[in-house]
Amino acid sequence: MKLFLVESPAKIKTISKFLGKDFQIRASLGHIREIPKRGLGIDIKSGFQPSFQLIESKQHNTKEVLELMQKAEVVYLAQDLDREGELIAWHLLDASQVSAAKVSRVIFHEITKTAVQSALENPRPLNQSLVDAGMARTILDRLIGYKLSPLIWGRFESSVPLSIGRVQTVALRVIVDRDREIDSFVKEEFWNIRADFPEGFSAFIVLPKDTRLDEAQASEIMDRLKDPKAMITELESKVERRFPKAPFTTATLQQEASTKLKLSAKDTMTIAQQLYEGVSINGEQKALITYMRTDAVNLSQEALTAARQKILEQYGKEYLPSKAVEYKSKSKNAQEAHEAIRPVYFDMDPEKVRPWLKPKQFQLYQLIWNKTIACQMKPASFDATIVDIDINSAPFRAKGTILKFDGFLKAYDDRDLEDKKKESDKDVELPPLKSGQNLMSPKIVGEKKFTKPPARYTEASLVKFLEKNGIGRPSTYATIIETLIKRQYVNLDKQNKFFSTNLGKEVADWVKEYFPTVVDIEFTARVEDSLDEVAQGNLPWIDSVVAFYDPIKERIGSLQGFVEEDLQEDDKNCPKCNSDLHIRSGKFGPFLGCSQYPTCDYIRPKNHRSPQSGEVSKKRRVFTGIYCEKCGSEFVLRRSDYGKYFGCSNYPACSNTRNRLTQEELAVFLTHLKEQKTNKEEDYGKADN
């Protein structure tokens, strides 16, 4: 028996048509193993070695798959062709403990008979470099999530669990920085001067670069133009060509689906997955697009031939270039797949399959179809004219364009909103004009304008920023955005624009203060570069992990009083039940507690020394002048091993606590400190920290 293993069960129906009866096709349902949820699950002292366990919710399916692997004569691991797929394939091989000799890795970027059979004819061993890169990413994300997230659980009030993520928190910082830039923006008034000509067009005054007119300057110029005499000093006409952009990658698909279809990144990837795995058309399961997680912009020779034939049939030879158009990725590390996202069958145009697609499936398929066809069409050409005009010795300029040949625009307009805005001023049809021509006296108009703040990030512009700066992978952007919203760090308005919440700002500020490298854009991009080096076999995976973890280890110890891996052996086991002690968190911050909680409720005593904690801290109390809303007693500022907090002085009769004060209460507290003539304020840090 030959076993053919894929990730998703949705692929089985489509692939089963291409394989013979001696094949059994099963799905792993994505990842089969995970690092245990309790504890770090990474042995840092042994070179960051992770431990894995079967994912509980998938155990029944996983055990069946592993048993089939042991019984099969040949096993084909056909997980997706990205690093994540390579890592899943490795987990299957490692967990099954079968001989690597009977296991082959097969990859295909489209689910067609030709592609699947070609993959079977060209199997390869697992790519250990890709596995290492996936493993390093898993370990890094675990270290950040497990080590840093508990530090904020007792620090910020929230109705949902909070987290810090290696890429997620950088994206949050980007949104927060933009919001503050907008909030601090002070608009400035400036003036523009326009000349409206009876001939039917307008011209604008030409100013030196970065120069703005104030009201007085504009008034002075307009006084000089009261009796305007206008003559064309120079006229330049030329043919401009606009070329189509490259076919879709994961990131550009998410961006254009957001701006043109108003789809979220998550919805875009979900629908694309459905189109890739196959939909039922006339009772037959057919995959409609190629693999949708890719950085590549090239197309296969077969796809180019099919696309060019379709252009010839549908649009005519005047729209077909003499040879296929080739594109090169701007990303130096584009290697996630072999091709851009494109239709599988060029004879199945959107309208032909529309009856079998849901509305959003149709819209996305049409977007991908049109983009792919357009990228192989001739450029659009315009007659562009620039007219320089002298009006009473003041320089004015008019611009205009006329579409001469629509080219690829016949199939798809790939301009984004920014492009359209830039080109709107030029899309003016000018009358016949010539150099040296005297024009009729124009009407001079002064226009008062104001500078505008930078635009808020949308899903599309955030994805564009992250991709441009090499932060994360495009395949993870949808999950990152979903997490930011779920954690209540950001909100999306009806225009799909991000607004950071107060909680989001507080978390971003805290991480920036205590772990600046974690939210540093350049540092995060360098980490991504190092993971790409690992994937290419140029860097040991452990080097990329050490480079990220070492700068933050010391600060983790100073904030929580211990670093887990530096504890003595006696400190790592529960004295009650001998289970492992793991980091847990309460209202006062992270602490070491028994991993078997609630069966065992042991926590490490507060006066317990550790290599990182130094002298045992003693509780010190400072009265605040603020009174408990429950019992009327005065709040005191306390410090424990787990952080600073405000507690009722009537404890234990009243256990009311607060994490922070309002601005008004803070003013009262600071005044109260001065009245007490205490010099201990700095020992406790800022009261609202």
Side-chain angles (χ1 to χ4, degrees):
M1 180 261 290
K2 298 177 182 177
L3 183 63
F4 194 89
L5 289 176
V6 295
E7 283 187 41
S8 169
K11 298 177 186 175
I12 294 176
K13 204 174 205 181
T14 311
I15 293 174
S16 62
K17 301 180 303 177
F18 313 139
L19 301 179
K21 293 181 180 179
D22 53 342
F23 277 90
Q24 194 168 127
I25 311 172
R26 294 297 298 269
S28 68
L29 306 180
H31 278 279
I32 63 163
R33 298 198 300 190
E34 64 182 354
I35 295 174
K37 289 183 170 61
R38 290 181 180 272
L40 178 59
I42 297 170
D43 189 344
I44 294 177
K45 286 194 170 181
S46 297
F48 294 92
Q49 290 300 317
S51 59
F52 294 103
Q53 65 180 26
L54 295 181
I55 297 174
E56 190 173 348
S57 62
K58 302 177 184 178
Q59 273 197 24
H60 179 72
N61 180 76
T62 301
K63 288 178 179 177
E64 283 188 0
V65 167
L66 297 179
E67 287 175 5
L68 285 171
M69 289 181 69
Q70 291 166 352
K71 294 176 182 177
E73 299 170 9
V74 182
V75 179
Y76 294 99
L77 299 176
Q79 282 62 44
D80 291 344
L81 64 162
D82 54 11
R83 295 174 193 172
E84 208 67 15
E86 204 76 16
L87 190 57
I88 294 170
W90 176 85
H91 276 295
L92 284 163
L93 175 60
D94 188 61
S96 68
Q97 296 185 333
V98 301
S99 169
K102 77 170 186 177
V103 175
S104 294
R105 178 79 166 107
V106 292
I107 58 172
F108 43 86
H109 62 273
E110 63 183 25
I111 306 178
T112 62
K113 185 174 183 178
T114 301
V116 172
Q117 288 181 342
S118 175
L120 287 171
E121 291 167 4
N122 297 280
R124 63 164 173 79
L126 282 174
N127 185 324
Q128 191 59 45
S129 294
L130 291 181
V131 173
D132 288 347
M135 194 72 73
R137 187 181 297 277
T138 300
I139 292 169
L140 279 173
D141 291 343
R142 178 68 169 197
L143 286 171
I144 298 305
Y146 183 86
K147 292 278 193 177
L148 268 59
S149 295
L151 298 174
I152 63 172
W153 289 344
R155 193 172 296 270
F156 303 104
E157 294 179 2
S158 175
S159 59
V160 298
L162 303 182
S163 66
I164 294 173
R166 185 177 59 86
V167 179
Q168 159 203 320
T169 310
V170 179
L172 174 61
R173 180 214 167 153
V174 169
I175 295 171
V176 168
D177 286 351
R178 175 57 58 87
D179 281 357
R180 286 186 168 144
E181 193 178 352
I182 293 169
D183 292 342
S184 63
F185 181 81
V186 178
K187 67 178 181 180
E188 297 178 3
E189 179 184 300
F190 69 97
W191 285 73
N192 199 5
I193 299 175
R194 187 182 78 239
D196 295 335
F197 289 91
E199 286 87 347
F201 69 98
S202 298
F204 295 87
I205 193 165
V206 178
L207 300 171
K209 189 177 180 181
D210 298 327
T211 300
R212 289 198 184 104
L213 297 176
D214 59 28
E215 186 174 8
Q217 292 169 324
S219 179
E220 180 184 344
I221 293 173
M222 290 184 69
D223 285 342
R224 287 165 42 199
L225 300 174
K226 281 185 177 178
D227 183 22
K229 307 292 184 187
M231 184 183 75
I232 297 176
T233 56
E234 189 174 349
L235 187 147
E236 181 185 1
S237 292
K238 60 181 180 180
V239 176
E240 289 185 351
R241 294 196 297 170
R242 185 148 65 84
F243 293 85
K245 294 178 182 176
F248 283 131
T249 62
T250 302
T252 56
L253 176 64
Q254 290 175 3
Q255 292 167 43
E256 293 201 31
S258 174
T259 56
K260 289 181 166 62
L261 305 180
K262 307 303 179 188
L263 290 177
S264 68
K266 179 184 177 182
D267 287 344
T268 298
M269 296 308 292
T270 299
I271 297 167
Q273 183 86 31
Q274 295 165 358
L275 297 174
Y276 168 66
E277 291 176 344
V279 295
S280 179
I281 297 175
N282 269 336
E284 184 181 0
Q285 200 76 5
K286 276 191 174 290
L288 293 180
I289 66 169
T290 54
Y291 192 56
M292 65 287 156
R293 293 186 179 91
T294 173
D295 288 336
V297 294
N298 58 293
L299 299 173
S300 69
Q301 190 57 52
E302 293 82 1
L304 291 173
T305 301
R308 286 173 60 81
Q309 182 61 34
K310 190 66 180 178
I311 293 167
L312 190 62
E313 293 172 0
Q314 190 163 327
Y315 298 102
K317 63 181 180 181
E318 64 270 27
Y319 287 90
L320 187 67
S322 58
K323 61 180 182 178
V325 184
E326 295 182 1
Y327 295 91
K328 291 186 178 179
S329 176
K330 294 179 182 178
S331 171
K332 63 181 179 181
N333 298 315
Q335 57 182 14
E336 291 289 340
H338 299 297
E339 281 197 80
I341 304 169
R342 62 162 175 85
V344 171
Y345 305 102
F346 284 87
D347 59 342
M348 297 181 66
D349 56 74
E351 287 300 330
K352 186 178 290 186
V353 298
R354 186 172 194 162
W356 293 277
L357 299 181
K358 295 175 182 177
K360 289 184 179 179
Q361 288 177 332
F362 169 76
Q363 290 177 336
L364 193 65
Y365 181 57
Q366 186 180 51
L367 195 75
I368 295 168
W369 171 279
N370 291 342
K371 177 83 164 183
T372 309
I373 290 294
C375 83
Q376 290 302 313
M377 295 173 71
K378 283 185 176 179
S381 60
F382 302 82
D383 282 332
T385 303
I386 298 175
V387 185
D388 288 325
I389 304 168
D390 180 282
I391 306 177
N392 294 8
S393 299
F396 280 73
R397 177 169 289 173
K399 296 179 182 179
T401 59
I402 299 174
L403 180 62
K404 188 176 180 182
F405 173 65
D406 54 3
F408 74 94
L409 294 174
K410 187 87 169 177
Y412 185 71
D413 187 348
D414 61 4
R415 293 177 300 173
D416 57 26
L417 294 176
E418 194 173 312
D419 289 337
K420 289 180 178 179
K421 192 173 181 181
K422 287 178 182 177
E423 294 178 11
S424 62
D425 292 339
K426 299 191 295 181
D427 292 337
V428 178
E429 187 170 347
L430 297 173
L433 300 169
K434 61 182 180 180
S435 183
Q437 178 181 342
N438 291 316
L439 299 170
M440 297 173 70
S441 295
K443 178 183 178 182
I444 306 299
V445 180
E447 299 176 312
K448 182 166 72 171
K449 296 180 176 290
F450 292 94
T451 54
K452 294 181 179 180
R456 292 190 183 278
Y457 281 107
T458 62
E459 284 202 34
S461 59
L462 180 63
V463 167
K464 187 175 183 178
F465 178 90
L466 295 176
E467 184 195 28
K468 181 180 179 181
N469 288 275
I471 299 169
R473 303 298 298 181
S475 58
T476 65
Y477 293 157
T479 304
I480 291 167
I481 292 169
E482 183 183 14
T483 303
L484 291 177
I485 295 171
K486 189 185 296 183
R487 299 285 183 256
Q488 298 180 358
Y489 294 157
V490 302
N491 291 320
L492 273 173
D493 67 7
K494 291 181 180 178
Q495 283 74 46
N496 208 29
K497 294 179 181 177
F498 284 110
F499 287 78
S500 56
T501 63
N502 288 333
L503 175 63
K505 291 183 175 75
E506 289 174 348
V507 170
D509 290 345
W510 186 87
V511 179
K512 189 175 181 179
E513 178 180 357
Y514 290 102
F515 297 96
T517 58
V518 172
V519 290
D520 182 81
I521 292 171
E522 291 185 5
F523 182 79
T524 305
R526 288 200 298 273
V527 172
E528 290 296 338
D529 287 342
S530 74
L531 292 174
D532 289 324
E533 288 293 304
V534 173
Q536 294 166 23
N538 299 327
L539 183 73
W541 68 266
I542 195 171
D543 289 4
S544 64
V545 176
V546 169
F548 191 89
Y549 182 64
D550 275 5
I552 66 174
K553 176 183 173 181
E554 185 177 344
R555 180 54 63 90
I556 291 171
S558 66
L559 286 173
Q560 67 183 13
F562 59 89
V563 176
E564 211 172 354
E565 62 266 23
D566 289 344
L567 294 173
Q568 301 297 324
E569 288 302 317
D570 291 344
D571 295 331
K572 294 181 180 180
N573 296 326
C574 173
K576 278 189 174 183
C577 67
N578 204 37
S579 299
D580 292 338
L581 292 179
H582 291 164
I583 295 178
R584 290 169 49 203
S585 187
K587 66 169 66 176
F588 307 127
F591 61 91
L592 281 177
C594 183
S595 60
Q596 297 305 310
Y597 177 84
T599 304
C600 177
D601 61 358
Y602 175 80
I603 64 171
R604 198 187 72 175
K606 294 180 182 179
N607 63 352
H608 191 97
R609 294 173 182 265
S610 78
Q612 295 290 326
S613 61
E615 291 299 320
V616 178
S617 63
K618 299 177 181 179
K619 286 188 178 180
R620 306 173 67 179
R621 309 199 323 166
V622 174
F623 285 91
T624 63
I626 309 300
Y627 294 89
C628 175
E629 61 270 22
K630 289 187 176 180
C631 71
S633 300
E634 190 171 358
F635 271 115
V636 293
L637 176 63
R638 293 189 178 125
R639 169 183 263 181
S640 74
D641 281 348
Y642 311 124
K644 299 177 285 293
Y645 65 100
F646 297 96
C648 182
S649 58
N650 195 25
Y651 179 82
C654 178
S655 59
N656 191 22
T657 61
R658 302 260 294 277
N659 287 333
R660 61 176 69 83
L661 301 177
T662 65
Q663 290 298 319
E664 293 78 9
E665 289 171 336
L666 178 59
V668 171
F669 173 43
L670 294 177
T671 301
H672 200 70
L673 283 175
K674 292 177 183 177
E675 290 173 354
Q676 294 179 83
K677 296 183 179 179
T678 180
N679 62 355
K680 301 297 183 184
E681 181 184 352
E682 289 187 2
D683 290 344
Y684 296 96
K686 294 181 180 179
D688 64 340
N689 189 9

